[in-house]
Amino acid sequence: MQKRNSRIIIGAFFIAAFALFLLPSLVPGIDASLAFADEAAVASDADAITYAPAPKLTAADYPTIPGVNSRVVVWIVAQLHLWFGAFVLAVPIFVFIIEVIGMSTRDQRYDNMAYEFIKISITAFSLTAILGGLLVFCLILFYPDLFNYLATIFKGSMFAYALLFFVESAVLYVYYYGWHWLQGGFKKWVHLTLGLLLNASGLLLMFLANAWTTFMMSPSAVDAAGVFSGDTWAAIHNFLWNPINIHRTIANVAYGGSIVGAYAAFKFLSARNKEQRAHYDWMGYNANFIAIAALLPLPFAGYYLTAEMYVYSQQMGITLMGGVFAWIFIIQAVLIGALFLSANYYLWCGMGRSEGAHRYYPYIKYIAIVIVVSFLVWFTPHTLVLTNAELKSLGGPYHAVLGPLGIMPAKNTAVNLLILFTFLSFMFYRRANKIATVPWAAKGNAIQIALFTTGIINIFILGTYYGYYTNTVYKVAASIPQVLTTLVIIAISVAIDAFMYKGAKEVAPLRWGRVPARSQYALFLLAVSFTWLMGLMGYVRSGIRQHWHVTNIFRDNSPDAFTPGLGYAANVISIATIIFMAMVMFVFWLSTISSHKSKTAGYWKEQGT
Amino acid sequence: MNNFLKVAIFSLLTIGAFTAYSNFGIPQIVPAPPPVEEELDLGGMTMDQFIALGDKLYHGKGTCTLCHNELLRAPLLDDSVAMALKHMSDPNYKGEATNVEEYLHESFVKPSAYVVAGFGKAGSNDTESPMPDVSGGGIGLSEAEIAAVIAYLQDISGSEVTVSIPTDVPEETGDEESEGGGGRAPFESAEAIIAEFTCGACHKIAGEEGEMGPDLTQIGALRDRDHLRRALLDPNAEITDDFMEGMMPAYGDQLNANELEMLVNYMAGLK
Amino acid sequence: MIMIKKRRIPRLLQLVLVVLGIYFGFILTFDVILGQLIPKSLLTMYMFFVISGVLMVFTFTEESTQELIDPIKALVEDPSKKMLRNIVFVIVPLLAGLYTYSSLSLSFEAPVELRTIHPAPPSKVKAYGKRFDLATLENPYRKYEKEDPDKFRELVKEGGDVYIQGCQYCHGDKLDGKGPYAEGLNPTPLNFQDVGTIAQLQESYVFWRIATGGPGLPAEAAPWISSMPVWQDFLSEDEIWKVILFLYDYTGHQPRSWEHE
């Protein structure tokens, strides 16, 4: 049972990944036609549109309200909008996949879970819209000239955005309220199509909004004075648009998974009976699986985005990786470490669901050692913070042992091991309640052990020999075979396991709901860390524009044009996270009260007696 | 409710830990404030001040050192004059410059005219430079500022500064009355300059009868303005026969650009 | 099912021992065996994640968690442990107070600065009004080491005189960075006897550092708090090259050169 579930989930994940890659290629067509429609409309009014150059502002051009820091307000509102947007965008993606799984397996549990997911997101959807409205309001209020400038260039896509929003709302409401009506046979297919439509419009909405953001980072079709000279599509299809689209889509799925996981954890903790606990435990497990599966490819998407930033502007790339923002990647390392540690802990705790897992308990500590050591290496900063006494003792800020750990080859090696051993945790978990019965089980295990061993040796050799004893060209290039090694190990192991555990004997039943409450806090940690991490990376993405509204063409001359330091940013992000968490709690609470019914005997007039 | 509180406290503690780490766990680097858009007062500048301006632009607004530094993201420019001469004769050179000054100017606004081997954009096989046009958006150096950077580069290369301070930049000259030239009041006329620097002690000029240096009473007929300007800025560049080298100080360096032109015009008129 | 065998060490004590073991393991490895101390700020973060990891391993099963919590519960609830409880309840707040006091109390230590002492050298430097290409710059007297040992000894001796006149006040008469003024300086004068200093550097790098001193450090090495004087203002080029000969000769180090790599 469990095996089939996960096989389906993995299959669905690949379908989703495929769909995600397909979507961006479809979008230009749709977008272009929208753009043409707009242009045609405009062209009938005036033959040629001339755009004004970017205004040169002074501090007096920015309206202020005494006691209100306009930038922080816009920052927090935008961040909240983004969090909710990411959440409501991601949920339909995996709701759709889970619905497909439920449909093909005819296992109603999946359908119920999918329905519950969309139920959570429905309140969040309206909150997203409200926050989006608030963001526009704040922008018009505090940054009227910037808004005006962007709105002039993007008027076509902004209008399309508003229309699309109506479409998405309509589809969502039919999809949600029609869930129980559109069941069985043809009706289910209609419902599924609605789900696809919902996702398509949702992604399109995000891509449109991304274009406004990326235009501010990498403006296209503008001259040095900021005079725009293209059509809507030219503005949308700017340099960083696609990298951001890919990165955000994947990150949204991971993020949505973590938030749903937190929801399941909360429901689990407050569950009153065994059935509920089992249900929410199962839901939490699946949500965690989604989050981690989407988390693993995220570093590569991030790497692609960063590389594109370098290509677009070396100055932007150097600003990102050095100077002020250099330490942000240490904080990021801590946060991602927290994500990995909590994901592993959740898996280990989950082994308690089956008695069969006891066989694997002794190995856990070794996995833990590798994960913690890898993480420590990953976390070691290149520039150490030293007190003067330590400086004197070391004779300089370079540490003979820790210094080499601070550079990329060590970190690449560490992160590959981190991923590999997290995968190992997952494999142990999967095998917890089963014993392979195929005749070649011993051989299969031996192959896997050999695979892991050679793979790890390979990663080490690539990391140490090529990382330290060759020139820079090889150093950088060595990270690619490292990643490939990791991926090959994971792929082959999954394949071997799939065959080896076909019809495997179940040694002990998997008892959903039998996990300690501690494990649920791991899910909360995952959600909180994810939220905070998104805020942090949003800060740096925006921060690398420095004192420009639109990079290099529209200068920010407001009193808040300065780039905030890390501590300042962290405080803003924390406040925003707390507000977001409070709102999420509210959303979760709303989804529970709809099922509560209070007895009101004697309150209402008795009818018909 | 109990669970709710526990979860809330747990989340707050987590957020608190992240905040504390970001504030106290790592060194706080205060980002540089946005660069100030300065108004230039070129008219009131001496060549040394002009070079100093170039130095400041080179390290500041021009953001040159972001790449042109010891990490060698771009070639070092400490010997740019020699480099320019070499590159101009390179078959790969695609520009139109005929001298160092023009070459440097071209390299600022059309960086791809010549790409030093190994420094091209990835995949362009050194045909395209990753450097932006410095007169454009992000950096936005004006013509005068570019000239100042060229002057600076020529100076640090240890060679002659051929750039002249642009004086015809109306928007940027700023306030006419602004103080320049090292704090002294600007000279009103060429005669005042000649009197101040006692040119007549050595030269025959403006009614004085000095004999240490060449006779300047008809110098406008013998030399053109460029020669005169150079003679003021670098008196030893060319010595008229029978006169000793190293006698005359570079008075031109103590004049601001307007004053220098005033004096050159005056002298050119002596026929 | 696992670990049926009777454990001698209680789980809680195990945990404490493991954490302490790792803590002192770090200190032993870095400070004693490797002789490169582990920075306190880094150790704190390391220990934070080590403790997280250890706690994760100790608490992922129900039985193990119970074993961990039971003694703590007993300490708080068991009436027979009143004495111990009182002691713990006094000691723990005191320890917390002590830690808080010691971390907040004022000290004479200067604030922490991020500084690069051995920055990457520029490829060319300006000194004596000339341009030196550090990649190709060589000590003009190095060749005499083989060609004319007597002359070389003479040059080293002259270099020694220069050192005694100018350098030993800070860098010490044994070249160990412990001159009479060394204690007053921060960063401390370089110890040339150490294998990590001039032994790792080319003569041209040493020439650059001597000729341009602290003020000649590149921006990367900010803040420029090094007190090394700008020796090009006081010594001739030859004198610097001679003193470099002396530095290597006295310490027995060989300058780094690219040919041997």
Side-chain angles (χ1 to χ4, degrees):
Chain A
M1 189 64 239
Q2 171 57 23
K3 187 180 53 136
R4 196 176 62 177
N5 290 349
S6 10
R7 204 165 64 216
I8 291 161
I9 292 175
I10 290 165
F13 179 70
F14 280 116
I15 294 171
F18 178 70
L20 289 181
F21 280 112
L22 210 63
L23 256 167
S25 61
L26 292 175
V27 173
I30 306 166
D31 250 355
S33 63
L34 277 174
F36 284 136
D38 281 329
E39 264 189 298
V42 178
S44 60
D45 291 340
D47 281 321
I49 328 152
T50 46
Y51 291 88
K56 289 198 191 315
L57 304 179
T58 61
D61 291 322
Y62 296 88
T64 50
I65 299 172
V68 178
N69 184 320
S70 45
R71 176 167 70 173
V72 171
V73 170
V74 171
W75 183 351
I76 290 180
V77 171
Q79 191 60 59
L80 287 172
H81 175 59
L82 191 106
W83 278 324
F84 272 107
F87 176 60
V88 297
L89 186 87
V91 171
I93 293 177
F94 49 78
V95 160
F96 175 74
I97 295 165
I98 295 169
E99 196 187 357
V100 171
I101 296 168
M103 210 174 140
S104 54
T105 58
R106 296 295 155 93
D107 183 343
Q108 212 190 346
R109 284 190 306 164
Y110 285 105
D111 207 58
N112 292 340
M113 182 165 70
Y115 179 69
E116 194 160 2
F117 281 171
I118 202 84
K119 190 169 114 187
I120 311 163
S121 81
I122 203 102
T123 334
F125 187 80
S126 55
L127 269 176
T128 312
I130 294 168
L131 284 165
L134 189 62
L135 177 60
V136 173
F137 180 71
C138 287
L139 278 176
I140 294 175
L141 190 63
F142 292 118
Y143 295 91
D145 295 288
L146 170 64
F147 187 81
N148 191 33
Y149 178 73
L150 289 176
T152 316
I153 291 170
F154 282 102
K155 54 183 180 296
S157 68
M158 279 183 179
F159 187 62
Y161 186 83
L163 284 181
L164 209 58
F165 205 82
F166 275 103
V167 174
E168 200 202 3
S169 313
V171 175
L172 177 72
Y173 289 136
V174 179
Y175 186 68
Y176 171 66
Y177 289 107
W179 193 288
H180 298 299
W181 166 51
L182 292 169
Q183 285 285 1
F186 178 69
K187 280 183 178 170
K188 193 67 187 166
W189 278 107
V190 172
H191 192 251
L192 210 61
T193 314
L194 282 175
L196 197 63
L197 214 60
L198 175 64
N199 276 307
S201 53
L203 279 177
L204 205 56
L205 275 175
M206 183 185 74
F207 292 164
L208 284 179
N210 284 352
W212 309 333
T213 310
T214 51
F215 182 82
M216 288 169 76
M217 295 172 77
S218 59
S220 53
V222 282
D223 65 9
V227 178
F228 181 70
S229 59
D231 55 14
T232 312
W233 173 239
I236 290 174
H237 192 236
N238 56 61
F239 202 87
L240 294 175
W241 186 55
N242 269 326
I244 286 258
N245 285 344
I246 292 171
H247 191 263
R248 278 195 170 168
T249 309
I250 299 174
N252 284 353
V253 174
Y255 182 62
S258 79
I259 293 292
V260 171
Y263 169 78
F266 184 66
K267 296 290 277 187
F268 177 87
L269 290 177
S270 32
R272 298 229 165 79
N273 57 43
K274 228 176 148 190
E275 285 74 41
Q276 271 191 359
R277 258 209 297 282
H279 175 69
Y280 287 113
D281 184 20
W282 183 65
M283 187 169 167
Y285 168 78
N286 280 308
N288 182 55
F289 179 83
I290 293 166
I292 298 304
L295 178 65
L296 295 185
L298 205 51
F300 307 117
Y303 183 82
Y304 171 56
L305 174 60
T306 315
E308 289 296 298
M309 278 184 193
Y310 263 97
V311 173
Y312 174 70
S313 157
Q314 196 169 341
Q315 195 185 1
M316 193 179 259
I318 296 170
T319 312
L320 175 70
M321 298 306 288
V324 190
F325 296 118
W327 283 91
I328 214 172
F329 292 94
I330 293 297
I331 305 182
Q332 190 202 25
V334 172
L335 287 159
I336 293 180
L339 293 181
F340 271 104
L341 288 180
S342 52
N344 273 291
Y345 186 63
Y346 182 76
L347 283 174
W348 301 342
C349 286
M351 287 177 142
R353 289 177 191 127
S354 169
E355 306 298 338
H358 287 263
R359 290 170 291 160
Y360 295 106
Y361 281 179
Y363 303 112
I364 298 295
K365 53 179 169 291
Y366 302 114
I367 294 185
I369 290 171
V370 174
I371 287 180
V372 169
V373 169
S374 304
F375 178 61
L376 293 188
V377 170
W378 194 30
F379 161 79
T380 306
H382 186 39
T383 313
L384 298 167
V385 183
L386 299 166
T387 62
N388 289 308
E390 284 164 350
L391 261 179
K392 272 194 177 183
S393 159
L394 288 172
Y398 285 120
H399 199 288
V401 188
L402 295 173
L405 295 185
I407 59 173
M408 275 326 270
K411 297 190 188 306
N412 284 336
T413 310
V415 85
N416 277 294
L417 291 182
L418 204 59
I419 292 176
L420 218 47
F421 277 78
T422 304
F423 173 70
L424 197 62
S425 287
F426 179 65
M427 261 176 70
F428 282 163
Y429 172 79
R430 292 275 322 281
R431 292 174 167 202
N433 63 335
K434 280 175 262 183
I435 285 180
T437 49
V438 289
W440 48 274
K443 273 184 213 156
N445 275 326
I447 291 172
Q448 283 182 327
I449 291 170
L451 191 69
F452 266 88
T453 318
T454 47
I456 290 166
I457 291 171
N458 190 32
I459 289 173
F460 259 111
I461 291 175
L462 287 169
T464 49
Y465 175 69
Y466 284 98
Y468 288 99
Y469 299 103
T470 55
N471 67 33
T472 321
V473 181
Y474 290 110
K475 272 180 197 171
V476 176
S479 66
I480 296 164
Q482 276 187 323
V483 171
L484 286 179
T485 312
T486 306
L487 292 180
V488 166
I489 294 174
I490 292 179
I492 296 181
S493 293
V494 167
I496 292 178
D497 260 29
F499 288 108
M500 204 155 77
Y501 281 82
K502 199 173 231 172
K505 194 176 79 182
E506 201 168 81
V507 283
L510 200 59
R511 295 207 186 87
W512 288 107
R514 207 181 71 176
V515 289
R518 290 185 305 281
S519 64
Q520 305 302 308
Y521 283 94
L523 290 181
F524 284 120
L525 183 63
L526 203 67
V528 173
S529 307
F530 239 122
T531 310
W532 209 87
L533 182 57
M534 265 174 82
L536 185 77
M537 296 329 273
Y539 148 71
V540 72
R541 185 199 55 68
S542 197
I544 51 173
R545 276 187 285 119
Q546 296 185 305
H547 54 279
W548 296 94
H549 284 315
V550 178
T551 310
N552 292 350
I553 60 166
F554 188 172
R555 196 185 149 110
D556 183 351
N557 273 324
S558 67
D560 291 322
F562 67 93
T563 308
L566 270 175
Y568 181 99
N571 297 341
V572 175
I573 295 161
S574 294
I575 292 167
T577 310
I578 291 169
I579 299 173
F580 175 71
M581 284 295 164
M583 289 169 97
V584 165
M585 284 292 173
F586 176 67
V587 169
F588 287 177
W589 180 69
L590 282 183
S591 71
T592 60
I593 54 168
S594 66
S595 60
H596 289 322
K597 285 197 172 72
S598 298
K599 288 218 169 66
T600 54
Y603 182 78
W604 300 109
K605 254 195 309 199
E606 299 290 317
Q607 295 284 330
T609 45
Chain B
M1 211 54 210
N2 191 16
N3 272 318
F4 175 77
L5 268 182
K6 273 196 218 163
V7 169
I9 290 169
F10 177 80
S11 306
L12 284 178
L13 282 179
T14 311
I15 295 168
F18 293 153
T19 318
Y21 181 63
S22 309
N23 276 289
F24 309 112
I26 55 156
Q28 293 294 312
I29 301 167
V30 181
V36 181
E37 286 173 305
E38 285 177 53
E39 302 236 313
L40 295 178
D41 178 20
L42 295 165
M45 264 189 186
T46 64
M47 191 41 109
D48 282 347
Q49 287 173 326
F50 193 58
I51 289 169
L53 170 70
D55 187 353
K56 211 169 115 195
L57 291 166
Y58 183 79
H59 291 97
K61 184 183 175 190
T63 63
C64 315
T65 48
L66 206 56
C67 300
H68 294 279
N69 62 19
E70 282 75 29
L71 297 173
L72 290 178
R73 291 193 183 97
L76 280 177
L77 300 180
D78 51 355
D79 202 9
S80 50
V81 171
M83 273 163 72
L85 291 168
K86 205 169 89 197
H87 295 166
M88 275 192 289
S89 55
D90 194 292
N92 287 332
Y93 177 59
K94 289 173 290 193
E96 287 144 8
T98 52
N99 60 34
V100 172
E101 186 185 331
E102 280 173 31
Y103 176 85
L104 290 175
H105 186 275
E106 185 180 62
S107 73
F108 285 8
V109 296
K110 284 186 212 135
S112 295
Y114 182 83
V115 182
V116 181
F119 289 105
K121 244 187 193 171
S124 74
N125 195 22
D126 290 340
T127 55
E128 209 178 320
S129 168
M131 173 168 153
D133 172 357
V134 299
S135 64
I139 301 170
L141 295 186
S142 64
E143 274 305 310
E145 286 171 327
I146 290 177
V149 177
I150 294 175
Y152 167 71
L153 289 178
Q154 288 182 329
D155 183 60
I156 58 164
S157 297
S159 68
E160 186 193 359
V161 177
T162 59
V163 185
S164 55
I165 305 177
T167 49
D168 51 348
V169 197
E171 300 103 80
E172 281 173 303
T173 26
D175 199 353
E176 281 291 319
E177 285 157 55
S178 63
E179 291 284 316
R184 64 171 165 75
F187 292 107
E188 295 295 326
S189 65
E191 285 85 353
I193 299 171
I194 292 166
E196 174 67 25
F197 291 105
T198 58
C199 306
C202 302
H203 294 283
K204 198 179 269 189
I205 190 169
E208 300 282 339
E209 299 280 332
E211 286 175 352
M212 305 270 286
D215 177 359
L216 300 179
T217 49
Q218 286 170 348
I219 195 71
L222 298 169
R223 305 287 187 210
D224 64 9
R225 283 163 199 268
D226 282 347
H227 187 102
L228 290 172
R229 199 180 290 114
R230 190 181 67 179
L232 284 164
L233 289 166
D234 183 8
N236 297 323
E238 198 175 321
I239 302 289
T240 314
D241 299 341
D242 305 335
F243 292 101
M244 260 172 71
E245 197 180 323
M247 292 295 290
M248 177 171 153
Y251 288 117
D253 285 351
Q254 300 175 42
L255 298 172
N256 70 35
N258 287 341
E259 293 162 349
L260 183 66
E261 289 312 299
M262 198 155 63
L263 186 58
V264 168
N265 286 337
Y266 171 84
M267 287 165 73
L270 297 176
K271 287 179 183 170
Chain C
M1 254 172 271
I2 57 142
M3 304 191 188
I4 300 290
K5 61 174 191 270
K6 191 81 180 149
R7 227 182 268 108
R8 284 221 200 90
I9 315 169
R11 204 76 172 140
L12 185 62
L13 190 60
Q14 268 187 26
L15 183 133
V16 173
L17 286 179
V18 167
V19 170
L20 285 180
I22 295 173
Y23 180 77
F24 288 109
F26 271 128
I27 291 181
L28 185 72
T29 320
F30 281 96
D31 295 15
V32 180
I33 298 175
L34 297 168
Q36 291 265 310
L37 60 78
I38 181 164
K40 197 163 157 278
S41 58
L42 193 66
L43 186 59
T44 312
M45 278 317 282
Y46 273 12
M47 285 317 292
F48 179 80
F49 284 104
V50 165
I51 292 172
S52 309
V54 172
L55 273 179
M56 278 164 54
V57 173
F58 274 74
T59 61
F60 78 90
T61 62
E62 205 55 50
E63 310 88 71
S64 167
T65 314
Q66 282 310 321
E67 269 185 72
L68 206 64
I69 295 173
D70 282 346
I72 302 172
K73 254 189 179 159
L75 178 74
V76 181
E77 292 169 355
D78 194 344
S80 66
K81 292 187 172 162
K82 196 176 168 202
M83 194 59 204
L84 187 64
R85 172 160 64 237
N86 288 342
I87 292 172
V88 169
F89 277 18
V90 169
I91 287 178
V92 170
L94 276 182
L95 282 178
L98 183 71
Y99 175 77
T100 314
Y101 176 78
S102 60
S103 52
L104 286 179
S105 65
L106 299 172
S107 75
F108 296 110
E109 173 118 19
V112 175
E113 272 166 340
L114 285 174
R115 186 169 180 278
T116 311
I117 286 185
H118 271 180
S123 69
K124 289 178 189 141
V125 295
K126 239 171 149 179
Y128 296 105
K130 283 190 291 186
R131 181 176 311 280
F132 293 96
D133 187 340
L134 285 189
T136 55
L137 184 63
E138 279 174 6
N139 191 335
Y141 299 128
R142 179 60 63 187
K143 59 181 184 225
Y144 294 118
E145 192 173 5
K146 290 202 181 83
E147 292 173 8
D148 188 353
D150 288 339
K151 181 163 185 192
F152 186 74
R153 292 255 50 89
E154 189 59 33
L155 289 165
V156 168
K157 197 173 166 300
E158 287 172 36
D161 292 342
V162 175
Y163 184 86
I164 294 301
Q165 281 164 25
C167 316
Q168 60 96 9
Y169 304 103
C170 300
H171 290 284
D173 51 5
K174 294 198 177 87
L175 280 66
D176 53 2
K178 295 202 175 94
Y181 297 156
E183 281 301 308
L185 300 174
N186 177 27
T188 48
L190 225 51
N191 168 8
F192 301 128
Q193 301 280 10
D194 189 278
V195 289
T197 61
I198 53 169
Q200 295 291 324
L201 302 170
Q202 285 176 275
E203 287 184 290
S204 59
Y205 189 103
V206 180
F207 178 81
W208 168 53
R209 292 306 331 122
I210 296 174
T212 63
L217 286 167
E220 184 193 340
W224 300 327
I225 50 176
S226 163
S227 351
M228 181 80 173
V230 183
W231 285 107
Q232 59 170 321
D233 296 344
F234 308 104
L235 296 176
S236 71
E237 230 181 296
D238 283 350
E239 282 172 322
I240 294 185
W241 287 123
K242 284 179 202 160
V243 85
I244 292 172
L245 287 187
F246 171 75
L247 293 182
Y248 284 102
D249 187 73
Y250 187 91
T251 55
H253 294 312
Q254 280 299 314
R256 186 178 201 163
S257 72
W258 294 117
E259 283 91 61
H260 299 296
E261 301 244 354

